[in-house]
Amino acid sequence: MKRVIDTFRGKCRASVALPGSKSVTNRAMVLAALAGGSTRLEGALFSRDTKIMADCLQKLGCAVVLCEAEGYVEIRSGGVEKFARSADFFVGNAGTAARFVTALSALVPGGEYSFDCDAAMRLRPMSGLLNALKLQGAKFDFFGEDGFFPFSMRSCGLRGGDIEVDASASSQILSALLMAAPFAESPARVVLGGETVSRPFVGMTLGQMGQFGFSAREARSGVFEVGKAQCADSGAARVYEIEPDATAASYFAMLPALTGGAVLLERFGRCVLQGDAKFVKLLECAGLVKTCKVGDSLLVESARAEPPFPPELTSSEYDFNDISDTFLTFAASSALFPSSVEIRGIGHTRAQETDRVAAVAAQLAKIVARVDEKSDSIGVFPMERRALRDALSGGRVEISTYDDHRMAMAFSIPGCVPVSEGAWIEIENPGCVSKTWPGFFEVLDRARADSEKFRVVAVDGGAAVGKSTVSRVCSQKLGYMHVDTGAHYRTLSFGLLESGISPDDISAIEGMLSRIQIGTLVDGQSAKMTVNGVLARDDQIRNKRVNEAVAKFAAVPQVRNFLKNYQRSMPSVAAENGFSGLIMEGRDIGSVIFPDANARIFLDADEATRQARRAKEGISDSISKRDALDKSRKSAPLVCAEGAERIDTTNMDKDEVAAKTLSIILKS
Ligand code: C5P
């Protein structure tokens, strides 16, 4: 099986619902089993690794219900005392299940367990954990190499006191002991011999232990004091919310850096336990993206509105020790960076799902000029885009995934960039993504389809609320056409005033409207209305005289009717001119012109703020008088259309308004 990655035709413009975090889900399942009672994990991840964990806990005697359709897992447990005294565990290639379930079953006095796994897991480090458990009394028989899967364990509970552990190969070894330690006979101190890798995961474990009512803290560097747990509370009923997966977010955070545009990472703001949430900061510091919080989501935009994407990076060296699961995302996409980068702090990932450093280096070598692989780092020297296109000569590169979900997802992202004619990357064994994100390719396909969807966006609001600024900025960022319909009314008002016609002389107005021809001039991102082939100048339509008359002319039904069909033809004008959407601003766009627009936004701000904004522009404009006329007229009055999203911009700066508006558009 292979998966061809279709390229995005233009900028990416999508909103992405992230799966629940694998690491948080698997820790929460373990802690729920330990704490006893019933626990409902909302927003849990359903993937191979979490199903393996659920299966192991069931074998230990817990009742686990996976309700995938509704996104929750329910665990009922009688606590450690009720754990099964024997079981045959199969942990697949799930490092968390491998380490956590071993430590968990070591708590049972007189238990006999056997453990087996996928071939890849047999190579992954376990001895740090097994040695610590041995010192606490557990006995092991190894069926392959000593210190590795498969093995059997005779457990006798943990004695407690000082538990020394070597977690230099994996922080999961330390996390496993920390979670089990509250159930040792006497209070335990887990003492780290040397250092560990991926430190933030230890913080995640301590944080989640606290959330489940266990007391554990790092008293001093490498020394963890763990309080003794109370008896299991079998009557407890808790609801625990699982954070979205910050590592999964890394793929879609990278996307706009390469394609331009923007992605909304839904609920990303909830990621507080995961170190990998820092990846977006790294992208921001690298000068690749800009980010802005919108509610509990995060808007990630390309740092540049216009090509070339991606821009030159601010640095050529990046340390991933703390966020090493995301190094693959960065490394795979570095093939399309404008210059070379060195990625460091990744030596320990050689002992993960596969030797990730070697795997990434080998696959990158297929699409870059040179890769320097060292024990703890890789240097990537990309080809120039043209050289890459020539090298591909219309063909595709097959990326081997080594059964590693992150290889598959990471290399899909550069594959989205239209480097050559048609698709140029195909992913071997794409099913391996089921380890942490079974729906990844479907989400990527949807993001592509959403990015190519032609959207009509209505932005309405009173005078000086900032419609033009936000519409212009958003159009530029998304590659949409911008139409300022206020300018249409101003242009007509200017012409009528020049001809000496007053707003109450309806027959003169009708006479003039029947004599003029309106057309369109596309100027950069904006489409402007011309009258008899002439575009009115800004100083002609934005002055005191027009400001005072425009609302009166705009209240005349004949004037509005005259413009209606013209304004409704703007989506075709946008499409014909190669734009992928339209943002039209005015007073009645969401209510009358495009009541079925994909997104309808109504901007508002208090009057003092609007007065101040207009005063800054230095043009005399009695905005409240205009607003009053616009609101009270019979034909298409200024209203917030039913169902439109109202944004009060009074206390927001321009960037925040743009981010909020973009997020509404991306979700539409
Ligand atoms: O947006 P701007 O302030 O340039 O609009 C000038 C005037 O044009 C408004 O006060 C309003 O009377 C009229 N207008 C309208 N309907 C629109 C856009 C503008 O009535 N869609």
Side-chain angles (χ1 to χ4, degrees):
M1 268 288 285
K2 284 179 205 162
R3 179 112 190 176
V4 175
I5 305 298
D6 288 324
T7 55
F8 278 47
R9 255 184 265 154
K11 293 177 171 180
C12 92
R13 296 166 278 244
S15 181
V16 175
L18 300 164
S21 157
K22 175 197 75 166
S23 309
V24 176
T25 302
N26 273 3
R27 280 169 176 74
M29 280 206 258
V30 167
L31 292 165
L34 286 167
S38 118
T39 310
R40 187 179 164 116
L41 306 178
E42 296 277 5
L45 172 70
F46 295 86
S47 73
R48 180 166 187 237
D49 276 15
T50 59
K51 285 176 184 159
I52 285 171
M53 180 63 87
D55 180 59
C56 290
L57 295 181
Q58 255 158 344
K59 286 185 175 155
L60 258 187
C62 304
V64 185
V65 179
L66 302 173
C67 194
E68 190 160 358
E70 290 175 50
Y72 71 85
V73 172
E74 201 152 83
I75 297 168
R76 262 173 295 122
S77 162
V80 178
E81 280 113 87
K82 299 278 161 56
F83 280 179
R85 274 160 210 276
S86 70
D88 296 334
F89 296 114
F90 184 82
V91 298
N93 191 15
T96 45
R99 280 95 187 209
F100 300 171
V101 174
T102 306
L104 215 59
S105 35
L107 290 170
V108 178
E112 282 194 29
Y113 306 97
S114 78
F115 294 84
D116 204 352
C117 61
D118 287 356
M121 189 70 222
R122 291 183 179 195
L123 305 172
R124 295 175 65 179
M126 285 297 291
S127 63
L129 174 65
L130 305 183
N131 288 337
L133 295 177
K134 255 190 230 163
L135 290 173
Q136 289 281 309
K139 297 205 164 44
F140 295 92
D141 286 316
F142 295 99
F143 306 133
E145 212 179 311
D146 271 12
F148 291 89
F149 278 97
F151 58 82
S152 65
M153 173 176 75
R154 271 166 293 141
S155 61
C156 59
L158 299 186
R159 283 197 286 269
D162 278 5
I163 307 178
E164 205 165 310
V165 60
D166 173 1
S168 54
S170 164
S171 64
Q172 287 171 358
I173 290 174
L174 174 58
S175 289
L177 280 174
L178 286 172
M179 287 192 282
F183 295 89
E185 265 161 56
S186 34
R189 280 202 325 171
V190 180
V191 182
L192 201 51
E195 239 320 308
T196 187
V197 286
S198 311
R199 262 281 178 168
F201 281 104
V202 181
M204 176 190 290
T205 303
L206 295 176
Q208 286 191 263
M209 286 177 73
Q211 290 166 339
F212 275 85
F214 299 117
S215 108
R217 64 185 190 102
E218 187 164 10
R220 59 193 156 79
S221 181
V223 179
F224 298 84
E225 284 178 2
V226 184
K228 235 175 110 53
Q230 316 288 321
C231 282
D233 178 2
S234 49
R238 10 183 141 64
V239 176
Y240 183 92
E241 199 191 316
I242 303 291
E243 302 181 355
D245 195 298
T247 322
S250 73
Y251 310 112
F252 287 94
M254 189 50 128
L255 193 53
L258 301 188
T259 61
V263 163
L264 187 72
L265 301 175
E266 294 172 22
R267 297 181 62 246
F268 183 83
R270 303 280 177 96
C271 299
V272 293
L273 291 162
Q274 299 165 82
D276 283 356
K278 290 218 175 73
F279 179 72
V280 287
K281 281 268 158 292
L282 181 141
L283 290 185
E284 202 161 17
C285 291
L288 288 169
V289 301
K290 283 189 283 190
T291 66
C292 186
K293 281 189 198 146
V294 183
D296 69 356
S297 298
L298 188 75
L299 181 75
V300 184
E301 295 169 44
S302 159
R304 297 174 51 97
E306 300 303 330
F309 306 123
E312 200 61 58
L313 278 68
T314 54
S315 161
S316 59
E317 292 171 15
Y318 296 89
D319 190 325
F320 277 82
N321 191 280
D322 275 355
I323 52 169
S324 59
D325 275 346
T326 63
F327 105 77
L328 297 87
T329 315
F330 192 80
S333 288
S334 71
L336 300 180
F337 289 174
S339 47
S340 63
V341 286
E342 185 173 304
I343 296 166
R344 289 196 299 240
I346 53 175
H348 62 281
T349 70
R350 289 183 181 275
Q352 293 182 336
E353 275 80 340
T354 181
D355 178 339
R356 284 181 161 166
V357 180
V360 165
Q363 299 315 303
L364 269 177
K366 298 176 177 174
I367 52 175
V368 301
R370 198 176 100 213
V371 189
D372 286 350
E373 181 189 340
K374 305 210 177 98
S375 62
D376 187 46
S377 70
I378 49 173
V380 185
F381 299 80
M383 285 186 227
E384 284 202 3
R385 207 54 82 81
R386 185 168 309 155
L388 177 56
R389 190 177 310 133
D390 292 347
L392 293 166
S393 66
R396 290 185 200 138
V397 176
E398 183 179 324
I399 299 294
S400 311
T401 49
Y402 309 83
D403 207 19
D404 182 349
H405 54 135
R406 303 219 175 281
M407 287 294 289
M409 295 190 273
F411 277 91
S412 297
I413 300 305
C416 294
V417 180
V419 166
S420 77
E421 293 292 306
W424 63 285
I425 278 194
E426 53 191 22
I427 304 289
E428 164 266 337
N429 182 22
C432 65
V433 300
S434 66
K435 189 172 203 281
T436 51
W437 197 353
F440 171 77
F441 289 108
E442 286 70 41
V443 173
L444 186 59
D445 283 346
R446 203 170 321 125
R448 185 183 307 104
D450 284 350
S451 300
E452 286 166 13
K453 177 160 97 188
F454 188 97
R455 292 187 180 95
V456 173
V457 180
V459 178
D460 288 306
V465 283
K467 299 186 297 296
S468 291
T469 308
V470 72
S471 301
R472 229 175 262 131
V473 167
C474 292
S475 305
Q476 208 202 10
K477 289 183 170 173
L478 297 174
Y480 287 2
M481 190 174 89
H482 166 228
V483 176
D484 169 7
T485 60
H488 299 169
Y489 288 95
R490 288 173 177 277
T491 302
L492 289 187
S493 302
F494 167 66
L496 290 161
L497 287 172
E498 286 291 284
S499 309
I501 298 171
S502 82
D504 41 13
D505 189 348
I506 304 297
S507 64
I509 292 175
E510 281 180 327
M512 177 161 149
L513 294 179
S514 69
R515 287 193 302 275
I516 59 171
Q517 276 290 332
I518 51 177
T520 308
L521 186 88
V522 177
D523 174 16
Q525 210 74 35
S526 297
K528 296 182 174 159
M529 189 181 84
T530 57
V531 173
N532 297 331
V534 178
L535 177 70
R537 295 191 315 268
D538 253 17
D539 63 305
Q540 291 173 319
I541 64 168
R542 297 183 196 282
N543 54 39
K544 189 163 185 274
R545 181 167 77 128
V546 173
N547 281 346
E548 276 167 8
V550 62
K552 293 177 198 148
F553 283 116
V556 175
Q558 285 81 350
V559 172
R560 305 204 74 79
N561 269 335
F562 179 78
L563 286 174
K564 200 191 272 177
N565 286 339
Y566 171 71
Q567 290 173 345
R568 285 187 175 156
S569 72
M570 285 299 118
S572 340
V573 174
E576 280 156 21
N577 282 276
F579 292 100
S580 18
L582 168 70
I583 299 184
M584 193 182 255
E585 49 151 317
R587 302 290 188 287
D588 62 342
I589 311 306
S591 56
V592 174
I593 304 298
F594 295 124
D596 295 327
N598 300 80
R600 293 179 304 154
I601 294 154
F602 188 87
L603 300 182
D604 212 351
D606 70 23
E607 189 163 334
T609 308
R610 297 199 280 134
Q611 293 281 11
R613 286 177 188 166
R614 189 47 45 105
K616 256 196 199 161
E617 291 167 15
I619 311 167
S620 140
D621 187 0
S622 43
I623 55 169
S624 45
K625 219 153 116 199
R626 261 200 305 136
D627 273 3
L629 279 169
D630 290 343
K631 281 182 188 157
S632 62
R633 70 185 175 217
K634 290 220 167 54
S635 184
L638 166 64
V639 283
C640 174
E642 209 184 306
E645 296 238 23
R646 181 191 286 270
I647 308 176
D648 183 347
T649 70
T650 307
N651 296 311
M652 294 167 84
D653 66 27
K654 274 191 245 163
D655 291 343
E656 287 169 328
V657 180
K660 173 77 189 160
T661 306
L662 280 173
S663 76
I664 295 169
I665 298 171
L666 296 178
K667 275 205 252 176
S668 73

